[in-house]
Amino acid sequence: LPEGSYLVSKVTIVEDKQVPMDERITVDKDGIEYYIRQSPNKRILGMDFYVWVYEKINPEKDNWWNRLKAKIGEEPVIYDQSLTDMSVKNLTTYLHTRGYFSPKVEVQVDTTRRYRRAEITYTIHQGEPMRIDSLELEILDESVKSLILADTANTLLRRGEILDISHLDKERE
């Protein structure tokens, strides 16, 4: 590793435990780890085997053994503050689209536990959700009005639910 840099060893997302479980944004249910820009390298038995293999690649040689190491090895994920800031912005934007308009995402980077390693923790505070108060249909074309009104039982939007932009887009379609 270059001097002063840290290998990303762990990324944790802490969910907002104050939000009811059915409304909570979670890693398992919502896949929010997709919005994190840095993920640690894979490990075997607690060792950075894939990084070690990557470091053993000899760029001057072009043989099957070197190509195999290049296929197996992983470039080390080095901690980058700008990517962490981008991850916070991505998570905040995602929470906005899910109907939480005052979210807060805090990040803590721990570089003290293990030698030259960074553990990143994102803590999500969802805030109060924007709820649907009322629904109103404005149908300008009289020829399709009866078709749309007949299908209102299948609407994705319901009074009292959180205003999720993806549901709004699906309903619009």
Side-chain angles (χ1 to χ4, degrees):
L1 291 174
E3 189 63 36
S5 62
Y6 298 93
L7 184 70
V8 175
S9 64
K10 186 176 182 182
V11 173
T12 307
I13 301 173
V14 179
E15 304 162 0
D16 192 348
K17 302 286 189 210
Q18 296 177 353
V19 175
M21 192 60 186
D22 60 328
E23 294 179 359
R24 188 178 304 161
I25 305 292
T26 65
V27 173
D28 297 332
K29 183 177 69 174
D30 301 293
I32 56 177
E33 72 275 357
Y34 172 77
Y35 299 99
I36 305 296
R37 294 289 123 221
Q38 285 187 302
S39 298
N41 294 98
K42 294 183 288 188
R43 302 181 75 164
I44 293 180
L45 300 173
M47 297 172 23
D48 295 314
F49 173 75
Y50 299 98
V51 173
W52 178 79
V53 170
Y54 179 84
E55 295 297 325
K56 297 298 178 188
I57 297 171
N58 185 351
E60 297 172 4
K61 291 185 179 178
D62 185 27
N63 57 25
W64 71 271
W65 182 241
N66 219 28
R67 286 190 297 272
L68 178 65
K69 288 189 280 188
K71 191 178 260 188
I72 293 173
E74 285 184 356
E75 186 174 355
V77 177
I78 298 175
Y79 172 69
D80 183 348
Q81 179 65 43
S82 65
L83 293 175
T84 302
D85 294 340
M86 187 182 297
S87 298
V88 169
K89 185 177 178 182
N90 290 347
L91 287 168
T92 304
T93 301
Y94 176 73
L95 290 167
H96 282 143
T97 63
R98 291 293 307 272
Y100 295 90
F101 294 110
S102 58
K104 191 170 158 188
V105 178
E106 297 173 348
V107 65
Q108 179 182 358
V109 181
D110 185 2
T111 57
T112 60
R113 289 190 186 175
R114 297 181 71 189
Y115 179 70
R116 303 217 33 200
R117 297 186 184 272
E119 294 182 5
I120 307 169
T121 304
Y122 296 93
T123 305
I124 296 175
H125 303 283
Q126 290 176 218
E128 278 298 313
M130 176 69 79
R131 297 200 180 270
I132 298 172
D133 179 37
S134 60
L135 297 169
E136 184 178 320
L137 293 174
E138 185 176 321
I139 305 167
L140 301 177
D141 188 354
E142 291 294 324
S143 62
V144 294
K145 187 173 187 174
S146 63
L147 293 170
I148 293 173
L149 291 176
D151 191 44
T152 55
N154 297 325
T155 185
L156 299 172
L157 305 174
R158 307 232 186 268
R159 181 179 296 160
E161 287 186 355
I162 297 172
L163 178 61
D164 188 331
I165 302 301
S166 64
H167 289 166
L168 189 61
D169 290 341
K170 287 177 188 173
E171 185 69 25
R172 205 176 284 139
E173 286 177 17

